[in-house]
């Protein structure tokens, strides 16, 4: 083979492997330098799409009234950081979130992320249940491409509305390679939180989201994401859950623990046919005796899966600590809040009724 033939062959080999070289370790193709990311904005309602009577109305406004096109038009700077398209998936205040909306949203997100012309997704959402939607998607999205959920604490009509800057930052984050493989992210107030830990902590303040002791993942600053940590728990493309063929999820409810508690809500949920109950216990997931523990034992005997969680907000619920979980065949929630334990239990029940397997899922996700 002469020199020029040899060079041609080397070029041919390089052109063949180039697409592979462009695949970063996450399996998501690296973007060509200088090219804007294609970001889809899925709108679902919330205060970010809310309107108040005056510019000083920051409570008592109406959530979920502004459509996705107006949300995008209100932030012309979006065009400078991504090629954005919008879609209204539904329009609700997020206290009305339910399993059916979650399934619809997850299916749409998964369909869009399969497209080569979608690099990332922003979901605009009410803040009241944003943490639950984020965790649900964190378990069922089948892609490593960024999914960023964003909300606002002040309606779009308010003085110093936080929606536009949050949407701008979320769009940058969803189009960034730094966010690939990080799981579903929640972004408000320049703080990037992971779906598993994030929770709303103040009813009205713009600085409301915390990941408490486990900490948030990073900041948005000066048009860039800065990550400092990432979750060690499995998520998105690495989970065993698949909702593509589901129209409903198993019935699971939460029973809140408090002094002087009685067994009525537990019995009512069992009678209603629940497949699982999450008990938001006091302290380390403790169960009141004699009112609550016998009711949960009775429920378990009827086949209902019992998860002991805690209303405290931080810390591990110790297995065989405040209850004999092995003997009673209960599951503990690890560090998951009751509302997130409910989500994992619903998804777990789509796979198995085996309490050992379910316990393992609580230590995995
Ligand atoms: C909602 O969750 O839809 C209302 C509250 C908010 O978005 O801040």
């Amino acid at each position: 083979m002469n020199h020029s033939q040899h060079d041609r062959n080397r070029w041919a080999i390089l052109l063949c492997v180039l697409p592979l070289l462009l695949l970063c370790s996450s399996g998501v193709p690296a973007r060509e330098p200088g090219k804007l990311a294609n970001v889809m904005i899925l709108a679902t309602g919330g205060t970010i799409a809310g309107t108040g009577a005056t510019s000083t109305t920051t409570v008592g406004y109406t959530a979920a009234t502004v459509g996705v096109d107006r949300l995008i038009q209100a932030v012309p700077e979006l065009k400078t950081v991504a090629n954005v398209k919008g879609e209204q998936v539904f329009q609700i205040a997020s206290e009305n979130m339910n399993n059916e909306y979650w399934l619809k949203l997850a299916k749409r997100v998964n369909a869009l992320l399969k497209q080569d012309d979608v690099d990332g997704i922003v979901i605009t959402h009410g803040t009241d249940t944003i943490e639950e939607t984020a965790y649900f998607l964190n378990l069922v999205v089948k892609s490593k491409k960024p999914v960023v959920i964003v909300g606002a604490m002040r309606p779009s009509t308010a003085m110093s509305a936080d929606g536009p800057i949050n949407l701008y930052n979320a769009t940058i984050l969803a189009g960034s390679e730094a966010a690939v493989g990080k799981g579903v992210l929640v972004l408000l107030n320049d703080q990037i939180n992971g779906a598993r830990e994030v929770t709303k902590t103040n009813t009205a303040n713009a600085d409301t989201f915390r990941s408490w002791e486990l900490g948030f993942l990073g900041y948005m600053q000066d048009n860039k994401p800065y990550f400092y940590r990432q979750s060690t728990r499995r998520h998105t493309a690495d989970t065993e859950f698949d909702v593509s063929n589901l129209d409903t999820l198993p019935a699971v409810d939460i029973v809140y623990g408090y002094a002087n508690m009685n067994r009525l809500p537990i019995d009512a949920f069992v009678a209603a046919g629940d497949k699982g109950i999450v008990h938001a216990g006091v302290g380390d997931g403790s169960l009141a005796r004699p009112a609550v523990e016998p009711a949960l034992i009775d429920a378990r005997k009827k086949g209902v899966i019992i998860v002991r969680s805690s209303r405290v907000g931080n810390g591990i619920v110790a297995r065989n600590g405040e209850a004999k979980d092995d003997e009673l065949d209960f599951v503990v929630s690890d560090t998951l809040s009751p509302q997130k334990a409910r989500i994992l239990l619903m998804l777990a029940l789509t796979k198995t009724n085996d309490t050992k397997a379910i316990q393992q899922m609580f230590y995995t996700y």
Side-chain angles (χ1 to χ4, degrees), residues 2 47 50 77 108 116 128 132 169 188 191 204 249-250 258 281 301 315 340 345-346:
N2 62 30
T47 293
E77 295 84 354
R108 189 67 192 127
D116 292 339
D128 289 349
E132 292 175 58
N169 277 333
L188 282 92
Q191 291 160 350
L249 291 168
Y258 51 91
K301 283 185 185 146
K340 293 186 189 177
L345 181 54
M346 285 193 299

Side-chain angles (χ1 to χ4, degrees), residues 255 261 263 265-267 270 276-281 285-288 290-308 323 328-330:
V255 172
M261 190 183 172
R263 62 179 288 157
I266 299 166
D267 292 338
V270 173
I277 291 177
V278 175
H279 180 253
S286 300
L287 310 173
V292 171
E293 191 179 61
L296 292 175
I297 292 170
D298 291 347
R300 180 72 202 106
K301 283 185 185 146
K302 290 182 178 149
V304 180
I305 305 291
I306 307 300
V307 174
R308 282 198 309 114
L328 301 176
D329 203 22
F330 289 171

Side-chain angles (χ1 to χ4, degrees), residues 9 102 112 132 152 165 198 228 234 238 248 257 269 292 328 345:
N9 287 350
W102 277 342
L112 286 167
E132 292 175 58
I165 182 73
V198 67
Y228 296 89
R234 278 168 59 186
D238 294 328
T248 58
F269 281 136
V292 171
L328 301 176
L345 181 54

Side-chain angles (χ1 to χ4, degrees), residues 115-134:
Q115 292 178 202
D116 292 339
D117 61 351
V118 175
D119 295 312
I121 290 186
V122 169
I123 299 170
T124 62
H125 196 291
T127 60
D128 289 349
T129 59
I130 203 170
E131 65 199 70
E132 292 175 58
T133 300

Side-chain angles (χ1 to χ4, degrees), residues 46-47 61 63 93-95 126-128 152-153 200:
T47 293
Y61 54 85
S94 80
E95 64 265 32
T127 60
D128 289 349
M153 289 300 288
K200 188 173 184 177

